[in-house]
């Protein structure tokens, strides 16, 4: 274990967890890895960033079912499994190299026994998440609840498939914060204080 301190941010879609992560990193003067991990995965795997992002959005179950029905079953791990192993390696290397904030990517579980790690889950009521998605991302309100439900379900399935743990379960994190009630800035304040007190 190094002297580096890591904060992992898991989040519901539309809760502002990514924004919390970026603002927290800026406040602490350390790097934040979110989309940057997709770039690193693309470089390490040889796939395009778009392909990496698409694979991480797909359900592992459907991916493995399709894989089992193809000739790929004789050639080793699926693309998703290969990306998972690379992602795990990159996250472990980042934690070894520097203090940082990592958004998503199951980093809370990957670093559980490997780093001084503060794990947070950012959530909010569905209505507040829908409002934020419309305001921040400029999306229409049409079918927004379905999009939230689908996105959260994909995150949960991916997380549970690769970690064996229940996504969003409070006891799996050091702290769970309701960004809808607390606001983004207060969430950043709380996490910054916890980070500095550890």
């Amino acid at each position: 274990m190094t002297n580096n301190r890591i904060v992992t941010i898991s989040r519901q879609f539309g809760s502002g967890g990514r924004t919390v992560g970026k603002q927290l990193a800026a406040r602490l003067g350390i790097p934040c890895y979110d989309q940057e991990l997709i770039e690193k995965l693309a470089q390490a795997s040889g796939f395009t960033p778009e392909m990496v992002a698409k694979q991480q959005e797909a359900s592992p179950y459907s991916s493995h079912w399709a894989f089992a029905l193809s000739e790929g079953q004789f050639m080793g791990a699926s693309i998703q499994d290969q990306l998972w192993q690379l992602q795990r390696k990159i996250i472990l290397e980042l934690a070894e190299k520097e203090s940082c904030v990592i958004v998503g990517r199951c980093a809370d579980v990957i670093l559980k026994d490997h780093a001084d790690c503060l794990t947070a889950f950012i959530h909010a009521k569905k209505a507040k998440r829908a409002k934020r998605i419309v305001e921040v991302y400029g999306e229409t309100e049409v079918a927004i609840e379905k999009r939230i439900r689908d996105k959260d379900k994909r995150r949960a399935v991916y997380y549970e498939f690769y970690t064996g743990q229940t996504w969003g379960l409070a006891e799996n994190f050091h702290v769970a914060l309701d960004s809808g009630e607390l606001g983004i800035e207060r969430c950043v304040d709380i996490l910054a204080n916890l980070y500095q007190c550890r």
Side-chain angles (χ1 to χ4, degrees), residues 4 7 37-38 44 91 107 118 149 162 167 174 178 182 194:
N4 296 328
V7 182
L37 280 173
I38 288 179
I91 287 171
L118 172 64
R149 197 166 52 247
Y162 284 109
W167 179 78
H174 295 124
D178 185 337
L182 296 169
L194 289 171

Side-chain angles (χ1 to χ4, degrees), residues 81-96:
D81 285 347
Q82 291 173 47
L83 288 173
W84 163 257
Q85 290 301 329
L86 272 174
Q87 173 176 278
R88 184 177 183 282
K89 180 174 179 284
I90 290 167
I91 287 171
L92 287 168
E93 286 172 353
L94 287 173
E96 188 70 28

Side-chain angles (χ1 to χ4, degrees), residues 6-192:
I6 317 297
V7 182
T8 67
I9 307 281
S10 301
R11 76 276 186 231
Q12 289 179 322
F13 179 56
S15 67
R18 173 179 294 161
T19 304
V20 169
K22 289 191 177 300
Q23 289 187 14
L24 176 64
R27 173 93 58 94
L28 298 172
I30 59 178
C32 179
Y33 293 100
D34 177 28
Q35 293 299 113
E36 296 82 357
L37 280 173
I38 288 179
E39 295 293 334
K40 285 182 176 293
L41 269 170
Q43 289 169 12
S45 66
F47 295 121
T48 65
E50 294 75 21
M51 173 68 162
V52 171
K54 184 178 177 184
Q55 284 297 316
Q56 292 195 326
E57 285 290 309
S59 164
Y61 295 115
S62 62
S63 173
H64 280 257
W65 176 247
F67 179 69
L69 295 176
S70 72
E71 292 182 5
Q73 63 186 320
F74 302 112
M75 300 169 62
S78 69
I79 291 172
Q80 247 182 352
D81 285 347
Q82 291 173 47
L83 288 173
W84 163 257
Q85 290 301 329
L86 272 174
Q87 173 176 278
R88 184 177 183 282
K89 180 174 179 284
I90 290 167
I91 287 171
L92 287 168
E93 286 172 353
L94 287 173
E96 188 70 28
K97 175 185 162 193
E98 62 191 350
S99 295
C100 60
V101 175
I102 301 175
V103 179
R105 312 304 188 288
C106 306
D108 57 304
V109 178
I110 292 169
L111 296 176
K112 185 177 175 184
D113 301 318
H114 299 276
D116 179 359
C117 192
L118 172 64
T119 60
F121 187 80
I122 310 297
H123 62 97
K125 289 186 172 64
K126 204 171 281 184
K128 294 200 174 183
R129 291 193 281 148
K131 184 173 184 287
R132 178 179 170 77
I133 290 164
V134 171
E135 289 174 354
V136 175
Y137 301 108
E139 301 202 15
T140 65
E141 294 185 29
V142 178
I144 203 78
E145 283 203 18
K146 182 181 185 303
R147 180 140 189 253
I148 287 172
R149 197 166 52 247
D150 290 350
K151 193 95 166 180
D152 281 350
K153 184 177 179 183
R154 283 197 297 271
R155 284 181 181 171
V157 167
Y158 181 88
Y159 184 91
E160 290 166 17
F161 185 87
Y162 284 109
T163 70
Q165 295 190 20
T166 303
W167 179 78
L169 192 64
E171 66 190 52
N172 289 337
F173 301 92
H174 295 124
V175 61
L177 300 173
D178 185 337
S179 60
E181 295 300 321
L182 296 169
I184 298 295
E185 192 171 338
R186 188 73 189 281
C187 290
V188 173
D189 289 342
I190 292 167
L191 291 175

